[in-house]
Structures are given as structure tokens and as C-alpha cells.
Amino acid sequence: MAFENLLFEVTGKVALITMNRPKALNALNSDLLNDLSKALDELEANDGIKGAIITGAGEKAFVAGADISQMAPYNPEQARGYMLLGQQIFNHIESIEKPIMAAVNGFALGGGNELCMACDFRYASTNARFGQPEVNLGIMPGFGGSQRLPRLVGPGIARELIFSGNTITAEEALRIGLVNKVFAQDKLLEESRKIMDIITSKPASALRYCKASLVRGQDEDIYKAIGLERELVSLCFASEDQKEGMSAFLEKRPAQFKS
Ligand code: CAA
């Protein structure tokens, strides 16, 4: 598929979605957000694609935030519309029942950090930098950051980052659990593909129910969430993948999953 502001390439079962406005450090203007929305629709609809990696073009930035030149003249009503657009798209990332990871190759600031946090997990390059610098612009996070950051790293660290606007290194992001692994920049995509190739070799129906349970359960009361898990694991037993996976185990042969 061709987009003006992003690249969408499929290799095997994995889509690589590259935010592509490198001159503006891949800042999220409405055009790029709308392209991302269409790319997510394609990812969701295409059964041949089982997972995705989101990254940024160039060596400097993943995404340096929402587009400040676009937002600067906004009144509150226009700001609400723009935040709604970003929030809906980032919520869509969570609701797509396919694993989506972020390969953070540089600055992930403001809306950029919010984008990578909406993904299922994050790998980073050593030069990556993370932060919610909105206070420096006289605003606050608006694409979900004040809600996803505390859920990922805990309320104290999230408050420190959001109140101070400080930027942290990839090593610090690793220490606080914001990213899972850190690699040299020239190895980041290769390592991201390796893990996504493993993940997308698993049966699609099992992956779908795993993500649904993880995403839908995370903000529920734990016993309600465990009930949701029970419903979803029961549905797995209606799938061909369960029949094949368990038969293969008992027959001591590799499973041949169809999905
Ligand atoms: N929006 C629009 N343009 C941006 C941008 C952004 N968020 N970030 C960078 N750019 C543009 C710069 O204006 C510059 O454009 P020109 O060459 O036309 O002047 C170009 O990208 C390169 O940037 P710099 O010259 O600033 O590069 P640098 O290496 O000196 O600094 C940086 C890099 C520290 C990331 C710096 O660009 C920066 O601080 N960017 C803004 C980060 C930020 O505040 N992000 C949060 C935005 S608000 C938000 O995201 C709200 C929300 O929650 C939705």
C-alpha cells in the first residue's frame, strides 16, 4: 500500500509501518495520523498479516511528538478534535487483536512516547530518548500519556516524568520497564523482526485471544479479568489451532497450524 507520510511494507507475516516525515522528526500532524489510521485498517483486515512493527524514518527520531506547528494556533475546541483523532488511533492499536511492537529508533517524545506506549511492547536503540515534555509547551499529554505511562511504569515515575518534562535515555527506559530490550541502532530492526517472526509463527487465534485478555483485562478488577480470561481460553477450544496443537503434542510431532 502507498501512503504519503508513512511506509507500509510486508515481509512474511509482519508489516513494518514506518512514520516517514524525517525532516520534522516524524512529528504527528493530521496527515500522518490519517495515514497511520489507514495502515492500521489494512493491518486489521489483511489475514495474511499476523503482526506489525512501528518505527520511525531516519536515524534521529521515532516520533518527536504531536506537530507543534499545527497545534500552536488551536483554540480548545480544535485541540479537543486533534486529541480525539490521536487518541482514537492509539486506542485502535490496542483493539487490533494482533501483536504490534514499537522499534524506537530515536526521540520518542510527547505523542511519540504515547504512540510507542499504545503498542504491545517496545524495543529501543541506544540513542533512543523518551519523555513527555508537554509542560515545556504549556500543555499536558493528550494522546493517552497521562493514563498509559503510570500503568506501564508506576504512578511515581510517571508523575516525575510528566511534571518535569525530563527526557530519559534508553538505558533508563529499560530500567523502569518502559522498554524490554535495547540494541545498537543498526541491530534494532533486525532484532525486532526476530521476535516478531517468532510471535507470528504462533497460531493467529491463540494470539488474538491472548491480546484480547491482556488488553481488556488490564483495567478490570482482577477477579472480573480472570473471568474474562476463562471465557477467552474456552473459546480457544473451539479452534482448529487447539485441536492441532494438542494432537501434535500427544503424537510427538511438530504442530502444523493453519491460521
Ligand atoms: N512538531 C513539529 N515539528 C517538530 C517537532 C514537533 N513535535 N519536533 C521537531 N520538529 C521539527 C523542528 O521544528 C525542526 O524543523 P525545521 O528544520 O523546519 O526548523 C526539525 O523538526 C528538526 O528539529 P530540531 O531542529 O529541533 O532538532 P534538534 O536535534 O535540535 O532537537 C528535539 C530535537 C529535542 C526532539 C526537538 O526537536 C524537540 O524538542 N522537539 C519537540 C518535542 C516535543 O515537545 N514534543 C511534544 C509535542 S506536544 C505533544 O506531543 C502533545 C501530545 O501529547 C499529543
Side-chain angles (χ1 to χ4, degrees), residues 23-25 27 60 64-69 71 83 107 109-112 114 132-134 137 139-143:
K23 283 189 185 145
L25 304 187
K60 202 167 161 184
D67 192 300
I68 300 168
S69 51
M71 284 184 297
M83 300 310 158
F107 289 111
L109 300 176
E114 292 166 313
Q132 296 292 156
E134 288 86 350
L137 300 166
I139 63 167
M140 60 170 281
F143 288 169

Side-chain angles (χ1 to χ4, degrees), residues 32-111:
L32 176 48
L33 283 170
N34 286 320
D35 276 359
L36 178 58
S37 178
K38 286 183 199 132
L40 293 171
D41 288 343
E42 170 63 15
L43 168 65
E44 189 166 33
N46 188 330
D47 289 340
I49 307 174
K50 288 174 68 179
I53 302 169
I54 298 183
T55 193
E59 297 191 342
K60 202 167 161 184
F62 172 72
V63 166
D67 192 300
I68 300 168
S69 51
Q70 180 175 330
M71 284 184 297
Y74 278 176
N75 63 31
E77 203 47 45
Q78 291 167 312
R80 187 176 292 114
Y82 185 48
M83 300 310 158
L84 179 64
L85 176 68
Q87 289 178 353
Q88 282 174 332
I89 294 168
F90 292 6
N91 292 349
H92 190 194
I93 291 174
E94 286 186 331
S95 71
I96 293 175
E97 292 176 344
K98 298 179 180 182
I100 303 173
M101 74 173 289
V104 182
N105 57 310
F107 289 111
L109 300 176

Side-chain angles (χ1 to χ4, degrees), residues 211-222 225-226 228:
K211 181 156 176 182
S213 187
L214 287 159
V215 171
R216 284 163 48 196
Q218 69 191 353
D219 296 321
E220 291 287 357
D221 160 80
I222 185 158
I226 287 172
L228 169 69

